[in-house]
Every structure is written in structure tokens, then in C-alpha cells.
Amino acid sequence: MFTPQFFKALCDPNRMNILQWLAKKNKSCCVGEISTCCQVDLSVVSRHLSQMKAAGFLTSERRGKEVFYHVNAKTVVHVLRSLADFLDGCCLTKKLKGGEKND
Amino acid sequence: MFTPQFFKALCDPNRMNILQWLAKKNKSCCVGEISTCCQVDLSVVSRHLSQMKAAGFLTSERRGKEVFYHVNAKTVVHVLRSLADFLDGCCLTKKLKGGEKND
DNA sequence: TGCTCATATGCACAATTATGCAAATGATTT
DNA sequence: AAATCATTTGCATAATTGTGCATATGAGCA
């Protein structure tokens, strides 16, 4: 579930930037448009988008000559919350209800 | 806030393993003990721990000869939830009060 | 002081990753 | 079909990262 592939998609500054930029847009954007949000070559952006798509962060759809990418927010949010909940359950809330066993 | 450094700490399989292992323990563990949860050399584990500490994931405390590391769950959970909330706010809940559905 | 144990660090090396350019692919238009 | 536009991919290269071994540091103990 918490695969390295998933978090690798988040640990590059350009990818994080793209993710947030796309999320704010909250609509499908084509590669050329997305590439305006960071400084690197468009081909690099294309590769980042592919990688994020492979990690389940994005979905894509071709419309004519262009390919539109969109944030798969549901999936990303779910994984992030799952890890947060796991850590929370282990280390924060569990103790309060009197459980003493942790592994 | 969503620094590459933070997510870099999550994107190595050994570090992710260490994080979950330590969270399940939910107590301070020394390096030697922690190193039993993954296959790599103890010196490598030591480096991973340092890195995770630098990223704010762990706290450490020396007791005699040993150094004990503990998950800083509050911080990690907060960052994960913040990103989840940001994406959620942009792409999931925001539109709903306007009436339209998002998948 | 020396000795031992636990951890950290220097170093070299292998593996991975990010990048830009050039060329290829896919799709529309003329 | 040829031309054009948008995106992807091949390739080379630079940069970063993960790893193990050997050594250093720091702390207690004989």
C-alpha cells in the first residue's frame, strides 16, 4: 500500500509543484499548459506526468493532438490519509483508550 | 511545507519499513534493535535514521551508549493530513457545495 | 588509562534519477 | 500524402542516492 513508487512521485520538487498546480486548477490540463508551471524542458514534464500517472496520482485522456492530465485526488488523498491514520492509530490515539499492546 | 525532504524520507523501502516498524512498537528503540527490521548494514540504518530525524520524522535521545529513536507521529501525521486536506479541498469537497459532482 | 560496546562518519562504488536535446510517434489539417 | 502541432521516447550525461566496509567518535566499564 505505502509503496516507494507512490512516495517517489512526491519527493521531486517539480512533481510536487505539478501536483499542487494541477490540484488548484482542478481540471484536466494538457502537457504544454502544465509545463508552464515549472522551468524544466517539456519533455521532462511529460516524463514526470507519466511517472505520476503510473503511481496512480494522475489520470490522462487524449483529445485530438493533446493529452490532458487530471489529478486523481481520491486515490492520493486515500493513501495519504491511510498512512496518517496508521501512524495515528499506532502512536497517538491507541494509548488513550487503555490498550497497552503494540505489536 | 510539503518539502521534497519530507517525502524523500518516505520513498525508500527501508525507511518506510523502519517508520512502520517503529510506529508499531510505539516506543523508543535503539539503532541495533531497529536494524533487525531490515537487511542492510547497521551503518546504513544509522544513516536512514539520521535522515528521517532531519526530516522531522523521528526524535532521538541518547541513553548511555545507545541512541534511542522514536516516531514523531504528530508531525508526520500533520504533514500527511495537510496535503490530503489540500488536495481534498481543491478537488473533492470544494465543488460539492456548488452542486456539481466530482466522480 | 585502556578496553569494549553502540553509533556515526569517511570513503569508494553501484544504482538510480533528473535533465536536455534530438528524433520518433500520434493526430489533425491542408 | 505532406505539413504541422503536441507529446513521447532514445540517448548521453550530470547529479543524487543507497550501500558496505573500515575507521572514528562517544560512553560506560575493568
Side-chain angles (χ1 to χ4, degrees), chain A residues 4 7-8 10-11 16 23 26 73-74 76-77 81 83-85 87-88 90-91 102, chain B residues 4 7-8 10-11 16 23-24 26 73 76-77 81 84-85 87-88 90-91 95 103:
Chain A
F7 292 99
K8 277 199 176 119
L10 288 173
C11 74
M16 178 55 80
N26 191 25
K74 253 182 145 169
V76 185
V77 166
R81 292 221 168 109
L83 181 56
D85 290 347
L87 296 172
D88 193 319
C90 285
C91 304
N102 318 78
Chain B
F7 291 99
K8 276 197 177 119
L10 288 173
C11 74
M16 177 55 79
K24 281 183 202 155
N26 192 23
V76 185
V77 165
R81 293 220 167 110
D85 290 347
L87 296 172
D88 193 319
C90 286
C91 304
K95 299 288 276 291
D103 72 283

PDB file of all heavy atoms in Angstrom, chain A residues 4 7-8 10-11 16 23 26 73-74 76-77 81 83-85 87-88 90-91 102, chain B residues 4 7-8 10-11 16 23-24 26 73 76-77 81 84-85 87-88 90-91 95 103:
ATOM      1  N   PRO A   4       7.068   2.541  -2.245  1.00  0.00           N
ATOM      2  CA  PRO A   4       8.070   3.552  -2.575  1.00  0.00           C
ATOM      3  C   PRO A   4       7.667   4.324  -3.826  1.00  0.00           C
ATOM      4  O   PRO A   4       7.843   5.536  -3.892  1.00  0.00           O
ATOM      5  CB  PRO A   4       9.325   2.727  -2.844  1.00  0.00           C
ATOM      6  CG  PRO A   4       9.114   1.449  -2.131  1.00  0.00           C
ATOM      7  CD  PRO A   4       7.646   1.200  -2.132  1.00  0.00           C
ATOM      8  N   PHE A   7       5.475   7.306  -3.011  1.00  0.00           N
ATOM      9  CA  PHE A   7       6.114   8.466  -2.387  1.00  0.00           C
ATOM     10  C   PHE A   7       7.236   9.046  -3.233  1.00  0.00           C
ATOM     11  O   PHE A   7       7.559  10.214  -3.105  1.00  0.00           O
ATOM     12  CB  PHE A   7       6.581   8.107  -0.977  1.00  0.00           C
ATOM     13  CG  PHE A   7       5.427   7.874  -0.057  1.00  0.00           C
ATOM     14  CD1 PHE A   7       4.994   6.598   0.237  1.00  0.00           C
ATOM     15  CD2 PHE A   7       4.738   8.947   0.474  1.00  0.00           C
ATOM     16  CE1 PHE A   7       3.901   6.385   1.062  1.00  0.00           C
ATOM     17  CE2 PHE A   7       3.644   8.753   1.300  1.00  0.00           C
ATOM     18  CZ  PHE A   7       3.226   7.471   1.594  1.00  0.00           C
ATOM     19  N   LYS A   8       7.786   8.222  -4.115  1.00  0.00           N
ATOM     20  CA  LYS A   8       8.762   8.766  -5.058  1.00  0.00           C
ATOM     21  C   LYS A   8       8.119   9.839  -5.917  1.00  0.00           C
ATOM     22  O   LYS A   8       8.759  10.815  -6.287  1.00  0.00           O
ATOM     23  CB  LYS A   8       9.315   7.652  -5.948  1.00  0.00           C
ATOM     24  CG  LYS A   8      10.434   6.894  -5.297  1.00  0.00           C
ATOM     25  CD  LYS A   8      11.259   6.125  -6.320  1.00  0.00           C
ATOM     26  CE  LYS A   8      12.422   5.465  -5.603  1.00  0.00           C
ATOM     27  NZ  LYS A   8      12.441   4.045  -5.695  1.00  0.00           N
ATOM     28  N   LEU A  10       6.160  11.939  -5.020  1.00  0.00           N
ATOM     29  CA  LEU A  10       6.010  13.171  -4.250  1.00  0.00           C
ATOM     30  C   LEU A  10       7.332  13.829  -3.882  1.00  0.00           C
ATOM     31  O   LEU A  10       7.353  14.958  -3.415  1.00  0.00           O
ATOM     32  CB  LEU A  10       5.253  12.879  -2.943  1.00  0.00           C
ATOM     33  CG  LEU A  10       3.765  12.589  -3.052  1.00  0.00           C
ATOM     34  CD1 LEU A  10       3.226  12.157  -1.704  1.00  0.00           C
ATOM     35  CD2 LEU A  10       3.019  13.807  -3.556  1.00  0.00           C
ATOM     36  N   CYS A  11       8.425  13.134  -4.081  1.00  0.00           N
ATOM     37  CA  CYS A  11       9.664  13.631  -3.495  1.00  0.00           C
ATOM     38  C   CYS A  11      10.547  14.402  -4.459  1.00  0.00           C
ATOM     39  O   CYS A  11      11.663  14.737  -4.116  1.00  0.00           O
ATOM     40  CB  CYS A  11      10.435  12.504  -2.816  1.00  0.00           C
ATOM     41  SG  CYS A  11      11.237  11.395  -3.959  1.00  0.00           S
ATOM     42  N   MET A  16       6.070  17.685  -7.176  1.00  0.00           N
ATOM     43  CA  MET A  16       5.219  18.251  -6.127  1.00  0.00           C
ATOM     44  C   MET A  16       4.562  19.532  -6.619  1.00  0.00           C
ATOM     45  O   MET A  16       3.376  19.775  -6.390  1.00  0.00           O
ATOM     46  CB  MET A  16       6.069  18.516  -4.879  1.00  0.00           C
ATOM     47  CG  MET A  16       5.322  19.143  -3.731  1.00  0.00           C
ATOM     48  SD  MET A  16       3.857  18.238  -3.206  1.00  0.00           S
ATOM     49  CE  MET A  16       4.622  16.967  -2.203  1.00  0.00           C
ATOM     50  N   ALA A  23      -3.816  20.472  -8.933  1.00  0.00           N
ATOM     51  CA  ALA A  23      -4.905  20.362  -7.962  1.00  0.00           C
ATOM     52  C   ALA A  23      -5.650  21.685  -7.861  1.00  0.00           C
ATOM     53  O   ALA A  23      -6.879  21.723  -7.810  1.00  0.00           O
ATOM     54  CB  ALA A  23      -4.366  19.943  -6.604  1.00  0.00           C
ATOM     55  N   ASN A  26      -7.800  22.076 -10.742  1.00  0.00           N
ATOM     56  CA  ASN A  26      -8.930  21.151 -10.621  1.00  0.00           C
ATOM     57  C   ASN A  26      -9.656  20.928 -11.938  1.00  0.00           C
ATOM     58  O   ASN A  26     -10.887  20.940 -12.000  1.00  0.00           O
ATOM     59  CB  ASN A  26      -9.913  21.629  -9.550  1.00  0.00           C
ATOM     60  CG  ASN A  26     -10.935  20.555  -9.212  1.00  0.00           C
ATOM     61  OD1 ASN A  26     -10.669  19.367  -9.385  1.00  0.00           O
ATOM     62  ND2 ASN A  26     -12.091  20.960  -8.763  1.00  0.00           N
ATOM     63  N   ALA A  73      -7.395  12.795  -7.270  1.00  0.00           N
ATOM     64  CA  ALA A  73      -7.323  13.216  -5.869  1.00  0.00           C
ATOM     65  C   ALA A  73      -7.791  12.132  -4.905  1.00  0.00           C
ATOM     66  O   ALA A  73      -7.204  11.935  -3.843  1.00  0.00           O
ATOM     67  CB  ALA A  73      -8.148  14.487  -5.673  1.00  0.00           C
ATOM     68  N   LYS A  74      -8.831  11.440  -5.314  1.00  0.00           N
ATOM     69  CA  LYS A  74      -9.376  10.417  -4.428  1.00  0.00           C
ATOM     70  C   LYS A  74      -8.312   9.422  -3.985  1.00  0.00           C
ATOM     71  O   LYS A  74      -8.183   9.102  -2.800  1.00  0.00           O
ATOM     72  CB  LYS A  74     -10.487   9.656  -5.159  1.00  0.00           C
ATOM     73  CG  LYS A  74     -11.875   9.991  -4.678  1.00  0.00           C
ATOM     74  CD  LYS A  74     -12.897   9.148  -5.421  1.00  0.00           C
ATOM     75  CE  LYS A  74     -14.054   8.766  -4.522  1.00  0.00           C
ATOM     76  NZ  LYS A  74     -15.176   8.160  -5.290  1.00  0.00           N
ATOM     77  N   VAL A  76      -4.927   9.677  -4.173  1.00  0.00           N
ATOM     78  CA  VAL A  76      -3.822  10.263  -3.422  1.00  0.00           C
ATOM     79  C   VAL A  76      -4.244  10.550  -1.985  1.00  0.00           C
ATOM     80  O   VAL A  76      -3.552  10.206  -1.029  1.00  0.00           O
ATOM     81  CB  VAL A  76      -3.326  11.557  -4.092  1.00  0.00           C
ATOM     82  CG1 VAL A  76      -2.107  12.082  -3.360  1.00  0.00           C
ATOM     83  CG2 VAL A  76      -3.001  11.305  -5.550  1.00  0.00           C
ATOM     84  N   VAL A  77      -5.398  11.165  -1.870  1.00  0.00           N
ATOM     85  CA  VAL A  77      -5.902  11.501  -0.541  1.00  0.00           C
ATOM     86  C   VAL A  77      -6.074  10.241   0.298  1.00  0.00           C
ATOM     87  O   VAL A  77      -5.742  10.216   1.490  1.00  0.00           O
ATOM     88  CB  VAL A  77      -7.241  12.275  -0.650  1.00  0.00           C
ATOM     89  CG1 VAL A  77      -7.949  12.322   0.685  1.00  0.00           C
ATOM     90  CG2 VAL A  77      -6.990  13.669  -1.192  1.00  0.00           C
ATOM     91  N   ARG A  81      -4.096   9.646   3.751  1.00  0.00           N
ATOM     92  CA  ARG A  81      -4.885   9.517   4.986  1.00  0.00           C
ATOM     93  C   ARG A  81      -4.676   8.150   5.618  1.00  0.00           C
ATOM     94  O   ARG A  81      -4.695   8.020   6.854  1.00  0.00           O
ATOM     95  CB  ARG A  81      -6.372   9.739   4.691  1.00  0.00           C
ATOM     96  CG  ARG A  81      -6.678  11.178   4.295  1.00  0.00           C
ATOM     97  CD  ARG A  81      -7.973  11.698   4.926  1.00  0.00           C
ATOM     98  NE  ARG A  81      -8.069  13.144   4.754  1.00  0.00           N
ATOM     99  CZ  ARG A  81      -8.925  13.750   3.935  1.00  0.00           C
ATOM    100  NH1 ARG A  81      -9.789  13.036   3.220  1.00  0.00           N
ATOM    101  NH2 ARG A  81      -8.940  15.072   3.850  1.00  0.00           N
ATOM    102  N   LEU A  83      -1.944   6.335   5.596  1.00  0.00           N
ATOM    103  CA  LEU A  83      -0.696   6.324   6.343  1.00  0.00           C
ATOM    104  C   LEU A  83      -0.829   7.170   7.607  1.00  0.00           C
ATOM    105  O   LEU A  83      -0.375   6.770   8.689  1.00  0.00           O
ATOM    106  CB  LEU A  83       0.465   6.825   5.473  1.00  0.00           C
ATOM    107  CG  LEU A  83       1.830   6.842   6.142  1.00  0.00           C
ATOM    108  CD1 LEU A  83       2.222   5.471   6.682  1.00  0.00           C
ATOM    109  CD2 LEU A  83       2.910   7.344   5.176  1.00  0.00           C
ATOM    110  N   ALA A  84      -1.469   8.310   7.463  1.00  0.00           N
ATOM    111  CA  ALA A  84      -1.686   9.164   8.635  1.00  0.00           C
ATOM    112  C   ALA A  84      -2.484   8.412   9.696  1.00  0.00           C
ATOM    113  O   ALA A  84      -2.146   8.438  10.885  1.00  0.00           O
ATOM    114  CB  ALA A  84      -2.404  10.455   8.224  1.00  0.00           C
ATOM    115  N   ASP A  85      -3.517   7.732   9.258  1.00  0.00           N
ATOM    116  CA  ASP A  85      -4.354   7.002  10.215  1.00  0.00           C
ATOM    117  C   ASP A  85      -3.585   5.862  10.867  1.00  0.00           C
ATOM    118  O   ASP A  85      -3.761   5.572  12.054  1.00  0.00           O
ATOM    119  CB  ASP A  85      -5.603   6.440   9.510  1.00  0.00           C
ATOM    120  CG  ASP A  85      -6.579   7.547   9.118  1.00  0.00           C
ATOM    121  OD1 ASP A  85      -6.409   8.685   9.604  1.00  0.00           O
ATOM    122  OD2 ASP A  85      -7.492   7.277   8.319  1.00  0.00           O
ATOM    123  N   LEU A  87      -0.334   5.708  11.437  1.00  0.00           N
ATOM    124  CA  LEU A  87       0.593   6.266  12.424  1.00  0.00           C
ATOM    125  C   LEU A  87      -0.170   6.797  13.627  1.00  0.00           C
ATOM    126  O   LEU A  87       0.246   6.609  14.782  1.00  0.00           O
ATOM    127  CB  LEU A  87       1.423   7.385  11.789  1.00  0.00           C
ATOM    128  CG  LEU A  87       2.339   6.938  10.654  1.00  0.00           C
ATOM    129  CD1 LEU A  87       2.962   8.140   9.966  1.00  0.00           C
ATOM    130  CD2 LEU A  87       3.423   6.005  11.170  1.00  0.00           C
ATOM    131  N   ASP A  88      -1.274   7.433  13.334  1.00  0.00           N
ATOM    132  CA  ASP A  88      -2.118   7.951  14.406  1.00  0.00           C
ATOM    133  C   ASP A  88      -2.574   6.800  15.307  1.00  0.00           C
ATOM    134  O   ASP A  88      -2.471   6.867  16.541  1.00  0.00           O
ATOM    135  CB  ASP A  88      -3.319   8.658  13.770  1.00  0.00           C
ATOM    136  CG  ASP A  88      -4.089   9.498  14.770  1.00  0.00           C
ATOM    137  OD1 ASP A  88      -4.269   9.027  15.913  1.00  0.00           O
ATOM    138  OD2 ASP A  88      -4.522  10.599  14.424  1.00  0.00           O
ATOM    139  N   CYS A  90      -1.266   3.871  15.740  1.00  0.00           N
ATOM    140  CA  CYS A  90      -0.161   3.245  16.471  1.00  0.00           C
ATOM    141  C   CYS A  90       0.315   4.114  17.618  1.00  0.00           C
ATOM    142  O   CYS A  90       0.598   3.618  18.712  1.00  0.00           O
ATOM    143  CB  CYS A  90       1.031   3.019  15.547  1.00  0.00           C
ATOM    144  SG  CYS A  90       0.849   1.666  14.402  1.00  0.00           S
ATOM    145  N   CYS A  91       0.451   5.385  17.358  1.00  0.00           N
ATOM    146  CA  CYS A  91       1.235   6.237  18.255  1.00  0.00           C
ATOM    147  C   CYS A  91       0.448   7.318  18.967  1.00  0.00           C
ATOM    148  O   CYS A  91       0.932   7.876  19.954  1.00  0.00           O
ATOM    149  CB  CYS A  91       2.358   6.931  17.469  1.00  0.00           C
ATOM    150  SG  CYS A  91       3.428   5.794  16.590  1.00  0.00           S
ATOM    151  N   ASN A 102       1.377  -3.108  21.655  1.00  0.00           N
ATOM    152  CA  ASN A 102       1.633  -2.500  20.357  1.00  0.00           C
ATOM    153  C   ASN A 102       2.441  -3.349  19.420  1.00  0.00           C
ATOM    154  O   ASN A 102       3.401  -2.894  18.924  1.00  0.00           O
ATOM    155  CB  ASN A 102       2.474  -1.236  20.441  1.00  0.00           C
ATOM    156  CG  ASN A 102       2.099  -0.371  21.551  1.00  0.00           C
ATOM    157  OD1 ASN A 102       2.456  -0.624  22.664  1.00  0.00           O
ATOM    158  ND2 ASN A 102       1.383   0.657  21.234  1.00  0.00           N
TER     159      ASN A 102
ATOM    160  N   PRO B   4      10.354  18.432  -0.502  1.00  0.00           N
ATOM    161  CA  PRO B   4      10.902  17.187  -1.052  1.00  0.00           C
ATOM    162  C   PRO B   4      11.588  16.378   0.038  1.00  0.00           C
ATOM    163  O   PRO B   4      11.466  15.161   0.084  1.00  0.00           O
ATOM    164  CB  PRO B   4      11.932  17.675  -2.069  1.00  0.00           C
ATOM    165  CG  PRO B   4      11.507  19.043  -2.440  1.00  0.00           C
ATOM    166  CD  PRO B   4      10.820  19.619  -1.249  1.00  0.00           C
ATOM    167  N   PHE B   7       9.181  14.072   1.843  1.00  0.00           N
ATOM    168  CA  PHE B   7       8.717  12.884   1.130  1.00  0.00           C
ATOM    169  C   PHE B   7       9.861  11.977   0.709  1.00  0.00           C
ATOM    170  O   PHE B   7       9.677  10.780   0.514  1.00  0.00           O
ATOM    171  CB  PHE B   7       7.841  13.294  -0.051  1.00  0.00           C
ATOM    172  CG  PHE B   7       6.546  13.882   0.397  1.00  0.00           C
ATOM    173  CD1 PHE B   7       6.361  15.248   0.439  1.00  0.00           C
ATOM    174  CD2 PHE B   7       5.522  13.058   0.834  1.00  0.00           C
ATOM    175  CE1 PHE B   7       5.173  15.798   0.891  1.00  0.00           C
ATOM    176  CE2 PHE B   7       4.326  13.590   1.293  1.00  0.00           C
ATOM    177  CZ  PHE B   7       4.155  14.965   1.318  1.00  0.00           C
ATOM    178  N   LYS B   8      11.049  12.550   0.606  1.00  0.00           N
ATOM    179  CA  LYS B   8      12.218  11.702   0.352  1.00  0.00           C
ATOM    180  C   LYS B   8      12.389  10.698   1.473  1.00  0.00           C
ATOM    181  O   LYS B   8      12.802   9.565   1.261  1.00  0.00           O
ATOM    182  CB  LYS B   8      13.482  12.553   0.223  1.00  0.00           C
ATOM    183  CG  LYS B   8      13.665  13.109  -1.160  1.00  0.00           C
ATOM    184  CD  LYS B   8      15.082  13.571  -1.389  1.00  0.00           C
ATOM    185  CE  LYS B   8      15.213  14.053  -2.818  1.00  0.00           C
ATOM    186  NZ  LYS B   8      15.580  15.435  -2.955  1.00  0.00           N
ATOM    187  N   LEU B  10      10.201   9.203   2.896  1.00  0.00           N
ATOM    188  CA  LEU B  10       9.205   8.129   2.769  1.00  0.00           C
ATOM    189  C   LEU B  10       9.410   7.247   1.548  1.00  0.00           C
ATOM    190  O   LEU B  10       8.774   6.209   1.433  1.00  0.00           O
ATOM    191  CB  LEU B  10       7.802   8.737   2.683  1.00  0.00           C
ATOM    192  CG  LEU B  10       7.227   9.341   3.949  1.00  0.00           C
ATOM    193  CD1 LEU B  10       5.918  10.044   3.633  1.00  0.00           C
ATOM    194  CD2 LEU B  10       7.015   8.268   4.999  1.00  0.00           C
ATOM    195  N   CYS B  11      10.278   7.661   0.643  1.00  0.00           N
ATOM    196  CA  CYS B  11      10.277   6.984  -0.651  1.00  0.00           C
ATOM    197  C   CYS B  11      11.363   5.922  -0.780  1.00  0.00           C
ATOM    198  O   CYS B  11      11.568   5.390  -1.855  1.00  0.00           O
ATOM    199  CB  CYS B  11      10.339   7.988  -1.791  1.00  0.00           C
ATOM    200  SG  CYS B  11      11.919   8.757  -2.014  1.00  0.00           S
ATOM    201  N   MET B  16      10.709   3.405   4.799  1.00  0.00           N
ATOM    202  CA  MET B  16       9.279   3.178   5.033  1.00  0.00           C
ATOM    203  C   MET B  16       9.083   2.020   5.996  1.00  0.00           C
ATOM    204  O   MET B  16       8.237   2.054   6.895  1.00  0.00           O
ATOM    205  CB  MET B  16       8.592   2.898   3.689  1.00  0.00           C
ATOM    206  CG  MET B  16       7.118   2.583   3.795  1.00  0.00           C
ATOM    207  SD  MET B  16       6.142   3.844   4.648  1.00  0.00           S
ATOM    208  CE  MET B  16       5.976   5.057   3.354  1.00  0.00           C
ATOM    209  N   ALA B  23       6.657   2.654  14.372  1.00  0.00           N
ATOM    210  CA  ALA B  23       5.325   3.123  14.762  1.00  0.00           C
ATOM    211  C   ALA B  23       4.588   2.009  15.489  1.00  0.00           C
ATOM    212  O   ALA B  23       3.922   2.244  16.512  1.00  0.00           O
ATOM    213  CB  ALA B  23       4.545   3.577  13.533  1.00  0.00           C
ATOM    214  N   LYS B  24       4.714   0.796  14.976  1.00  0.00           N
ATOM    215  CA  LYS B  24       4.039  -0.329  15.639  1.00  0.00           C
ATOM    216  C   LYS B  24       4.588  -0.546  17.046  1.00  0.00           C
ATOM    217  O   LYS B  24       3.843  -0.848  17.968  1.00  0.00           O
ATOM    218  CB  LYS B  24       4.211  -1.603  14.810  1.00  0.00           C
ATOM    219  CG  LYS B  24       3.267  -1.680  13.622  1.00  0.00           C
ATOM    220  CD  LYS B  24       3.452  -3.012  12.899  1.00  0.00           C
ATOM    221  CE  LYS B  24       2.953  -2.919  11.476  1.00  0.00           C
ATOM    222  NZ  LYS B  24       3.621  -3.903  10.594  1.00  0.00           N
ATOM    223  N   ASN B  26       5.848   1.751  18.864  1.00  0.00           N
ATOM    224  CA  ASN B  26       5.398   2.907  19.634  1.00  0.00           C
ATOM    225  C   ASN B  26       6.193   3.119  20.918  1.00  0.00           C
ATOM    226  O   ASN B  26       5.642   3.361  21.982  1.00  0.00           O
ATOM    227  CB  ASN B  26       3.915   2.798  19.965  1.00  0.00           C
ATOM    228  CG  ASN B  26       3.377   4.123  20.497  1.00  0.00           C
ATOM    229  OD1 ASN B  26       3.937   5.182  20.237  1.00  0.00           O
ATOM    230  ND2 ASN B  26       2.313   4.057  21.276  1.00  0.00           N
ATOM    231  N   ALA B  73       5.175  11.071  15.582  1.00  0.00           N
ATOM    232  CA  ALA B  73       3.937  10.814  14.846  1.00  0.00           C
ATOM    233  C   ALA B  73       3.133  12.084  14.605  1.00  0.00           C
ATOM    234  O   ALA B  73       2.568  12.274  13.524  1.00  0.00           O
ATOM    235  CB  ALA B  73       3.095   9.790  15.597  1.00  0.00           C
ATOM    236  N   VAL B  76       4.481  13.932  11.487  1.00  0.00           N
ATOM    237  CA  VAL B  76       4.273  13.214  10.236  1.00  0.00           C
ATOM    238  C   VAL B  76       2.796  13.200   9.872  1.00  0.00           C
ATOM    239  O   VAL B  76       2.409  13.497   8.736  1.00  0.00           O
ATOM    240  CB  VAL B  76       4.799  11.774  10.332  1.00  0.00           C
ATOM    241  CG1 VAL B  76       4.692  11.094   8.984  1.00  0.00           C
ATOM    242  CG2 VAL B  76       6.241  11.768  10.802  1.00  0.00           C
ATOM    243  N   VAL B  77       1.985  12.874  10.855  1.00  0.00           N
ATOM    244  CA  VAL B  77       0.543  12.820  10.618  1.00  0.00           C
ATOM    245  C   VAL B  77       0.032  14.186  10.163  1.00  0.00           C
ATOM    246  O   VAL B  77      -0.800  14.287   9.255  1.00  0.00           O
ATOM    247  CB  VAL B  77      -0.185  12.353  11.893  1.00  0.00           C
ATOM    248  CG1 VAL B  77      -1.677  12.630  11.797  1.00  0.00           C
ATOM    249  CG2 VAL B  77       0.073  10.882  12.134  1.00  0.00           C
ATOM    250  N   ARG B  81      -1.742  14.753   6.609  1.00  0.00           N
ATOM    251  CA  ARG B  81      -3.143  15.195   6.588  1.00  0.00           C
ATOM    252  C   ARG B  81      -3.280  16.554   5.917  1.00  0.00           C
ATOM    253  O   ARG B  81      -4.291  16.833   5.267  1.00  0.00           O
ATOM    254  CB  ARG B  81      -3.702  15.264   8.009  1.00  0.00           C
ATOM    255  CG  ARG B  81      -3.821  13.908   8.663  1.00  0.00           C
ATOM    256  CD  ARG B  81      -5.111  13.756   9.480  1.00  0.00           C
ATOM    257  NE  ARG B  81      -5.321  12.354   9.835  1.00  0.00           N
ATOM    258  CZ  ARG B  81      -5.209  11.853  11.064  1.00  0.00           C
ATOM    259  NH1 ARG B  81      -4.883  12.649  12.075  1.00  0.00           N
ATOM    260  NH2 ARG B  81      -5.430  10.569  11.287  1.00  0.00           N
ATOM    261  N   ALA B  84      -3.272  15.929   2.267  1.00  0.00           N
ATOM    262  CA  ALA B  84      -4.547  15.288   1.929  1.00  0.00           C
ATOM    263  C   ALA B  84      -5.671  16.321   1.943  1.00  0.00           C
ATOM    264  O   ALA B  84      -6.506  16.365   1.028  1.00  0.00           O
ATOM    265  CB  ALA B  84      -4.841  14.153   2.905  1.00  0.00           C
ATOM    266  N   ASP B  85      -5.670  17.166   2.959  1.00  0.00           N
ATOM    267  CA  ASP B  85      -6.727  18.178   3.059  1.00  0.00           C
ATOM    268  C   ASP B  85      -6.649  19.195   1.925  1.00  0.00           C
ATOM    269  O   ASP B  85      -7.671  19.652   1.410  1.00  0.00           O
ATOM    270  CB  ASP B  85      -6.641  18.903   4.409  1.00  0.00           C
ATOM    271  CG  ASP B  85      -7.042  18.000   5.564  1.00  0.00           C
ATOM    272  OD1 ASP B  85      -7.616  16.927   5.299  1.00  0.00           O
ATOM    273  OD2 ASP B  85      -6.768  18.353   6.731  1.00  0.00           O
ATOM    274  N   LEU B  87      -5.470  18.679  -1.119  1.00  0.00           N
ATOM    275  CA  LEU B  87      -5.964  18.061  -2.352  1.00  0.00           C
ATOM    276  C   LEU B  87      -7.474  17.868  -2.284  1.00  0.00           C
ATOM    277  O   LEU B  87      -8.189  18.101  -3.256  1.00  0.00           O
ATOM    278  CB  LEU B  87      -5.266  16.720  -2.576  1.00  0.00           C
ATOM    279  CG  LEU B  87      -3.759  16.815  -2.807  1.00  0.00           C
ATOM    280  CD1 LEU B  87      -3.137  15.428  -2.830  1.00  0.00           C
ATOM    281  CD2 LEU B  87      -3.452  17.557  -4.098  1.00  0.00           C
ATOM    282  N   ASP B  88      -7.911  17.468  -1.124  1.00  0.00           N
ATOM    283  CA  ASP B  88      -9.342  17.285  -0.911  1.00  0.00           C
ATOM    284  C   ASP B  88     -10.076  18.605  -1.137  1.00  0.00           C
ATOM    285  O   ASP B  88     -11.076  18.675  -1.860  1.00  0.00           O
ATOM    286  CB  ASP B  88      -9.556  16.786   0.535  1.00  0.00           C
ATOM    287  CG  ASP B  88     -10.950  16.259   0.755  1.00  0.00           C
ATOM    288  OD1 ASP B  88     -11.900  16.880   0.244  1.00  0.00           O
ATOM    289  OD2 ASP B  88     -11.108  15.239   1.442  1.00  0.00           O
ATOM    290  N   CYS B  90      -9.144  21.207  -2.847  1.00  0.00           N
ATOM    291  CA  CYS B  90      -9.085  21.653  -4.235  1.00  0.00           C
ATOM    292  C   CYS B  90     -10.007  20.839  -5.129  1.00  0.00           C
ATOM    293  O   CYS B  90     -10.680  21.377  -5.993  1.00  0.00           O
ATOM    294  CB  CYS B  90      -7.664  21.505  -4.790  1.00  0.00           C
ATOM    295  SG  CYS B  90      -6.497  22.714  -4.206  1.00  0.00           S
ATOM    296  N   CYS B  91      -9.986  19.531  -4.934  1.00  0.00           N
ATOM    297  CA  CYS B  91     -10.542  18.652  -5.962  1.00  0.00           C
ATOM    298  C   CYS B  91     -11.757  17.859  -5.545  1.00  0.00           C
ATOM    299  O   CYS B  91     -12.463  17.319  -6.396  1.00  0.00           O
ATOM    300  CB  CYS B  91      -9.473  17.658  -6.433  1.00  0.00           C
ATOM    301  SG  CYS B  91      -7.978  18.438  -7.018  1.00  0.00           S
ATOM    302  N   LYS B  95     -16.111  21.523  -4.870  1.00  0.00           N
ATOM    303  CA  LYS B  95     -17.167  21.578  -5.873  1.00  0.00           C
ATOM    304  C   LYS B  95     -18.534  21.170  -5.320  1.00  0.00           C
ATOM    305  O   LYS B  95     -19.550  21.615  -5.791  1.00  0.00           O
ATOM    306  CB  LYS B  95     -16.820  20.654  -7.052  1.00  0.00           C
ATOM    307  CG  LYS B  95     -15.552  20.993  -7.771  1.00  0.00           C
ATOM    308  CD  LYS B  95     -15.651  22.250  -8.624  1.00  0.00           C
ATOM    309  CE  LYS B  95     -16.230  21.985  -9.987  1.00  0.00           C
ATOM    310  NZ  LYS B  95     -15.379  21.206 -10.863  1.00  0.00           N
ATOM    311  N   ASP B 103     -16.753  12.880  -9.773  1.00  0.00           N
ATOM    312  CA  ASP B 103     -16.616  11.425  -9.918  1.00  0.00           C
ATOM    313  C   ASP B 103     -17.105  10.740  -8.694  1.00  0.00           C
ATOM    314  O   ASP B 103     -16.650  10.151  -7.898  1.00  0.00           O
ATOM    315  CB  ASP B 103     -15.214  10.999 -10.344  1.00  0.00           C
ATOM    316  CG  ASP B 103     -14.147  11.139  -9.282  1.00  0.00           C
ATOM    317  OD1 ASP B 103     -13.715  12.257  -9.043  1.00  0.00           O
ATOM    318  OD2 ASP B 103     -13.738  10.121  -8.738  1.00  0.00           O
TER     319      ASP B 103
END
